[in-house]
Every structure is written in structure tokens, then in C-alpha cells.
Amino acid sequence: MIEEMKQEYPELESLSDFVISDVTKVISDQVVITESAESVVDVAGNIAKGYYINGMKSSSNCNIVLTGRVSQKESHITVTNMKGEILNQNVLTRNKRFRLRAHRYCCNLLGFNAITVCILDEIGLYNISDSSYQKKNISDMVKTWPEERHVCSVTTNPAKNEIIVGTNSREVYAFDYQLNYSHIIVLPDVIKQSDDITVHDGNLLICDYEGRSSYAVTMVTSGSKVVYRFTKPNLGGVDLRPYSMCIGMGGFIYMLWEDELQRNTVLTQYSRDGRQLLTTMPVADNAECITTSVVDGEEKLMIATITSGKIYIYIYGLVPV
């Protein structure tokens, strides 16, 4: 599979996300998040007002990939640098009109290719260097795809060279790196849907916004089981919902939670095994998604926000102690 990927995507040979020697100092038994943002990337002046953000990831050269909806039928894939200047942008139109808006999500990169999914059932690879895009419809590959089903999230499982797509159901779908369908994983019945997912230590981590909880589950085609449930942060007795997460290079887990009514938002940090809540801190109530990146050899935490229809990215330090 790796050799096939190198033939189809030769840039994988030359691209490396980071040099281990450059970031060794961040691999620590404890990492402290700075109390306030160290800097803010102002995308507001360069991206059209009203663009929404559903997903964010960083590339090896510190560029940022943003995905989201534009309108009922249109979504966008935007590549910006750390100054907020747009390098590439595609606005994509769905061929059919759907009741649901064109939310678009993304996950970690394969070489120069960002993996992205869009409601209802689109999966694709976007080349951030030349803006080319190849896509497939999941319903064309999965004949049991129900009419009301739609994608909610996407991640990769590097151990098995898989792309995993979360949905508004207990079923998640696995594909190879050429977007060919492989199999379905049925999640435990305590989970309602997978609003954000990532793979960590052989388990699938899930933000279940509808179910108001987040979990680590086993990744088997049948009989998936809960490994553990994440401790929910306490915000004055408010019942928070998880909606975005990422894994830092040191293995620590970061997650955004919100109060659906008041939109109060908190950031949580968990231990490497996910069983201990280490940090809870308030962040901007308009926070949309979270990721990590390496900037000048140091790991940073990035939170994308939308204020009055304009996009800003807040950069927090992750300080090893």
C-alpha cells in the first residue's frame, strides 16, 4: 500500500511533517497550555465574510488548511499562511440541492493532499500545492448508505493506511488512501453520532455532540466496545457537549466543549491514555475547531474562531515542563 501511495503521490517521498530532532523538547511528561493566546492569525481581511469553518489542519510548512460551508450548496477549501494570506482557495458546488447545508470537514494530510468530506456523502483529496481535487460519492460505493445519512467527520488510521469517515449515526466507514471503500465499523450503542473523530493508541476517539459525551472505542468491524469515557469538564453545572479534538505530538489529547444555549466554550487537556483530565480553561465562545502545529520547532495549539462572520486563528503555546 505504501509503495502504491508513493507511485500515485510522489510528493510523499520528499515531504516530512517535521524533523524529530527539532521537536524532541516538546515530548514531555507534562505540557502546559499558555493562559492566553501568544498570537492571532487574522484571516478576516482575506477571506469572504460569511464563510464558515468546519475543519482546520496545518501542513508541514506551517500553512493552514481551512474547510467549511459557504452557502446551502457551496463549500470551500482554503489554504492560508501564518499571516492569514490566502495561497489557494476552491469554492465547490454540489450538483444537487440538499436540505442540509454544505458543511465540509478535513483531517491530517497525506503528503500535499488534504483529506476532506462534505455533506451529504462526498469524500475527496485536495492537493494544497496546485488546488486540484478528486472526489467520490460514498453512496456510489456503499449500497446500504441510507438516504438520511451524512458525513460528520474524517480522520486517518496510519497503522492500517485507512481513512475513516464519521457520520450522524453509529456507523463509521473505512477507505483506503485511493478513496476505495473497505468496511464499516459499528460503534457501541451508547454513541449517537461521531461529530469529530481521531485515532489514538489503536482506539477511535469520538466527540458525540448529540450524546453530550466523548469516548475511546475499539476499532473492529463488529462488536466495537467502549474503552473509556472522557471526563466531562465542570462549568458551573452546565451540561457541555464535545465537538472538536486533536492529539498533540506528545500524545496529549485536546478537546473543545460548549454549552449549546449560551455558547460558553472550554478547552480541555487529557493525559496520554485519555483517562485523566489535566486542564480546563475557557476560550473564545465562537471557537469552531482545534488542531496543533509545529512553528519554528515548537508545538502550538491553534483554535479557529468566527467573529461577526470573520475568521481568526488563536495560537497558544504548549510548554513542556
Side-chain angles (χ1 to χ4, degrees), residues 139-156:
S139 60
D140 292 337
M141 297 180 280
V142 182
K143 300 307 179 184
T144 57
W145 183 269
E147 184 178 351
E148 73 280 1
R149 184 152 300 171
H150 63 81
V151 297
C152 289
S153 52
V154 62
T155 191
T156 58

Side-chain angles (χ1 to χ4, degrees), residues 78-103:
T78 301
V79 182
T80 178
N81 60 23
M82 292 297 291
K83 296 180 181 180
E85 299 167 338
I86 292 179
L87 305 178
N88 286 319
Q89 184 175 75
N90 286 42
V91 175
L92 306 169
T93 302
R94 298 186 294 190
N95 294 328
K96 298 180 181 179
R97 183 170 182 83
F98 299 109
R99 176 178 57 84
L100 298 173
R101 294 177 178 175
H103 294 286

Side-chain angles (χ1 to χ4, degrees), residues 55-57 65-67 104-108 114-117 154:
M56 172 179 63
K57 290 297 174 184
V65 180
L66 301 168
T67 61
R104 181 174 291 276
Y105 310 89
C106 66
C107 71
N108 38 317
I115 307 166
T116 178
V117 295
V154 62

